[in-house]
Amino acid sequence: MEKLVTGFGGFFFRAKDANALSKWYDENLGINSLQSGEVWQQQAGQTVFMPFKQDTTYFGSPAQQFMINFRVTDLDALLAQLAEKGVRIDEKKQDDEYGKFAWIYDPEGNKIELWQPVE
């Protein structure tokens, strides 16, 4: 079967305050929304697409229906920057054969996974 889907073209989700949340993602993770007039350009790389069981606790709150994972180049440096800005960082970290993982939360409580893949 020919692969006709080439990647993610966007990620859309509900927010209590879309403008404030867009600003937070831009200021803390460098991910700008269309509100800035530019489209975020991501680097090519691995993308995992995987549904989880309905009762998973991996996403944090049972009300959270998705969890986005961002690839990063230097997890420790990013976490230090985010800590300086007062971003909520999960105490748990993971280092395994796939790379290094950590979790943060946006201002609306969405759990976000940060992943530094093994080179």
Side-chain angles (χ1 to χ4, degrees):
M1 179 176 175
E2 183 180 358
K3 292 185 180 181
L4 301 175
V5 176
T6 61
F8 282 105
F11 183 76
F12 311 102
F13 59 102
R14 299 176 198 275
K16 294 173 188 151
D17 186 337
N19 290 333
L21 202 55
S22 291
K23 184 176 179 182
W24 184 89
Y25 276 89
D26 188 12
E27 291 176 354
N28 291 286
L29 300 177
I31 300 168
N32 56 320
S33 70
L34 284 177
Q35 293 173 356
S36 69
E38 296 180 35
V39 176
W40 175 47
Q41 296 292 317
Q42 60 180 316
Q43 294 179 350
Q46 302 171 5
T47 301
V48 176
F49 182 83
M50 187 169 80
F52 278 69
K53 290 183 179 181
Q54 180 68 30
D55 61 352
T56 186
T57 58
Y58 193 68
F59 300 173
S61 165
Q64 187 171 333
Q65 295 298 307
F66 67 88
M67 183 174 62
I68 191 147
N69 168 299
F70 292 116
R71 289 186 312 269
V72 303
T73 57
D74 187 336
L75 182 60
D76 294 329
L78 177 57
L79 290 174
Q81 289 176 9
L82 294 173
E84 286 179 13
K85 294 180 176 186
V87 172
R88 181 177 163 207
I89 301 172
D90 198 304
E91 293 178 12
K92 180 182 173 191
K93 288 185 180 178
Q94 185 176 327
D95 195 349
D96 63 26
E97 70 261 27
Y98 302 108
K100 295 166 60 174
F101 296 86
W103 296 267
I104 63 171
Y105 297 84
D106 73 18
E108 294 196 3
N110 295 306
K111 186 176 183 182
I112 301 162
E113 187 169 72
L114 304 174
W115 171 38
Q116 181 179 333
V118 173
E119 294 188 22

